[in-house]
Amino acid sequence: MAVAPLAALHRKLFDETDGVKFSNLKDRLLKKHAADDRLAVLAILTAYAREGQLLHWRAFLMTDIVALAEPGEYGDFFSWSLDMDGLAYWGVDGMLKSMGKEAYAPLVALATAENAKLSVRAKAVKSLAAFSRQPFDAGLPYDPGHWKEEQLRLEAVQAWQRDGYPDGAGHAAPATHAALDEPRTPLEKAAARLEKKLAARRKKEQDLAQPSNWLTIASAADMAGIAQRWALPEQYRRFLACHSPLRVLIDSPQYFQGLSLYGAAELVKAQSGYAWDAVSGAAIAGWPEQYLVIADAGADPYCLDLGAIAGGDAPVYTAEHGMGAWRFERHADSFIDFLNEIAAAA
């Protein structure tokens, strides 16, 4: 019963010259036929990727093709795509999904091909790292399109090839404090609430080569550097030491621009542009010297008032940037209150 509508959509896709209408037709094809006629839909999409008239859509279809293809399928198509401008980037993932370890050799060749686009070469290295659990991507941006040529780590990739493509151990998860599992104090309970929300987000999307949204144990060196500059309230000091935010971004209606909660590794640098000039290091006039920026939402700072420490904690103030002068308002009576607010919003 679905043959006629599928054939009609096939014809319409190849005849359509308007990008928006093409997108709607493609979505209809996937929604109505991908589940029951997966191979027929794949045949249509791969045919369009080979010879369709809307060139940009030939590239955009690659992610749908990779998602629909099963292991062992369309190896010839994905191999062909590696030589096609615009298709090769996602063709890398298709190769690995289709051919598994048999794709290693051609992808290493692609990674080392100086005439290939840098983004495609980087994608080959990134995908090889993820598939083989080798650390070629450790510490590099999540999107290989942002890598620089010197970050390709080709010597390590080629050494791995010479060794026969052994599987790696993968990236270890950041170290976390046991109190997140068995919280007892108000600080630990607030951190555990935030960790529960962050864990749910990590489950949806996480790249351990560049981990994000973790509460981690801070390094002794980072904590020593902080102690040399500021006398922190005990609650915040302990939070940084035991539950230091690692690329934590709270995206919620309350923080519609996204709130970045700083960790111990970035706290000193994060004061640049607020307390002191990033280039000269000179103090910036008009900044209250007792205010320590611990987070920002779209560059609007959230600060601990180190001049009002009481009972091991301190109030949090915030202000809008770009107003000509800082006009701070009290945002939370304590850091723990602020942390509970963030946990509720995450």
Side-chain angles (χ1 to χ4, degrees):
M1 294 179 63
V3 175
L6 185 59
L9 277 173
H10 187 172
R11 289 193 299 272
K12 289 180 179 179
L13 275 173
F14 276 77
D15 291 341
E16 187 56 65
T17 59
D18 181 270
V20 174
K21 292 180 180 178
F22 180 93
S23 178
N24 292 333
L25 287 169
K26 186 267 295 183
D27 290 344
R28 193 188 314 169
L29 174 69
L30 291 173
K31 183 176 181 180
K32 291 188 174 183
H33 299 284
D36 296 329
D37 296 293
R38 183 182 64 84
L39 289 175
V41 171
L42 265 172
I44 293 171
L45 296 181
T46 53
Y48 198 96
R50 286 182 182 274
E51 56 193 33
Q53 59 181 325
L54 295 177
L55 298 182
H56 63 288
W57 268 106
R58 291 170 63 180
F60 291 157
L61 289 178
M62 290 297 292
T63 54
D64 294 313
I65 293 169
V66 173
L68 282 175
E70 296 290 342
E73 294 179 345
Y74 282 89
D76 290 343
F77 168 79
F78 291 122
S79 295
W80 166 83
S81 74
L82 294 188
D83 294 322
M84 304 306 296
D85 187 34
L87 307 187
Y89 189 91
W90 292 111
V92 168
D93 286 341
M95 285 279 288
L96 287 166
K97 186 174 183 180
S98 173
M99 301 170 62
K101 294 183 178 181
E102 291 183 8
Y104 284 176
L107 292 183
V108 171
L110 178 62
T112 55
E114 295 182 359
N115 61 332
K117 282 186 175 180
L118 176 58
S119 61
V120 174
R121 298 173 67 194
K123 176 63 174 174
V125 174
K126 174 69 177 178
S127 294
L128 283 170
F131 195 90
S132 67
R133 296 173 58 80
Q134 289 288 346
F136 308 135
D137 57 347
L140 296 180
Y142 175 78
D143 183 354
H146 295 154
W147 292 12
K148 299 177 181 178
E149 187 167 5
E150 60 267 23
Q151 295 176 313
L152 293 179
R153 296 174 180 166
L154 296 180
E155 290 185 4
V157 172
Q158 291 172 315
W160 168 69
Q161 183 179 51
R162 290 192 295 270
D163 288 342
Y165 308 115
D167 290 338
H171 298 289
T176 58
H177 199 278
L180 291 176
D181 296 320
E182 295 183 2
R184 294 184 179 136
T185 68
L187 174 67
E188 292 171 352
K189 290 177 181 178
R193 279 192 286 272
L194 177 57
E195 161 59 18
K196 185 176 181 179
K197 300 286 187 69
L198 297 179
R201 294 170 63 182
R202 296 196 302 266
K203 190 174 182 180
K204 294 179 181 178
E205 183 178 9
Q206 183 65 197
D207 180 6
L208 287 177
Q210 186 79 301
S212 58
N213 290 312
W214 288 82
L215 299 180
T216 68
I217 298 174
S219 74
D222 285 336
M223 292 305 298
I226 290 169
Q228 288 177 353
R229 288 179 174 269
W230 303 289
L232 299 180
E234 177 58 22
Q235 296 291 353
Y236 183 61
R237 189 206 63 79
R238 182 161 181 78
F239 173 75
L240 283 183
C242 301
H243 313 299
S244 183
L246 180 61
R247 300 184 189 90
V248 170
L249 178 67
I250 308 301
D251 189 8
S252 70
Q254 183 171 350
Y255 303 113
F256 65 93
Q257 299 182 84
L259 181 135
S260 295
L261 185 62
Y262 304 155
E266 60 188 330
L267 187 66
V268 174
K269 185 178 180 180
Q271 308 309 305
S272 295
Y274 297 109
W276 56 72
D277 184 86
V279 177
S280 67
I284 295 177
W287 182 263
E289 63 179 14
Q290 76 273 21
Y291 279 6
L292 174 69
V293 187
I294 61 173
D296 79 85
D300 294 345
Y302 288 80
C303 311
L304 271 182
D305 184 354
L306 301 185
I309 297 174
D313 211 333
V316 175
Y317 286 79
T318 189
E320 292 185 25
H321 76 289
M323 303 301 289
W326 293 111
R327 297 179 176 86
F328 286 95
E329 296 181 353
R330 193 177 180 105
H331 182 80
D333 290 338
S334 67
F335 172 72
I336 292 180
D337 287 347
F338 182 53
L339 188 58
N340 276 315
E341 175 190 300
I342 293 171

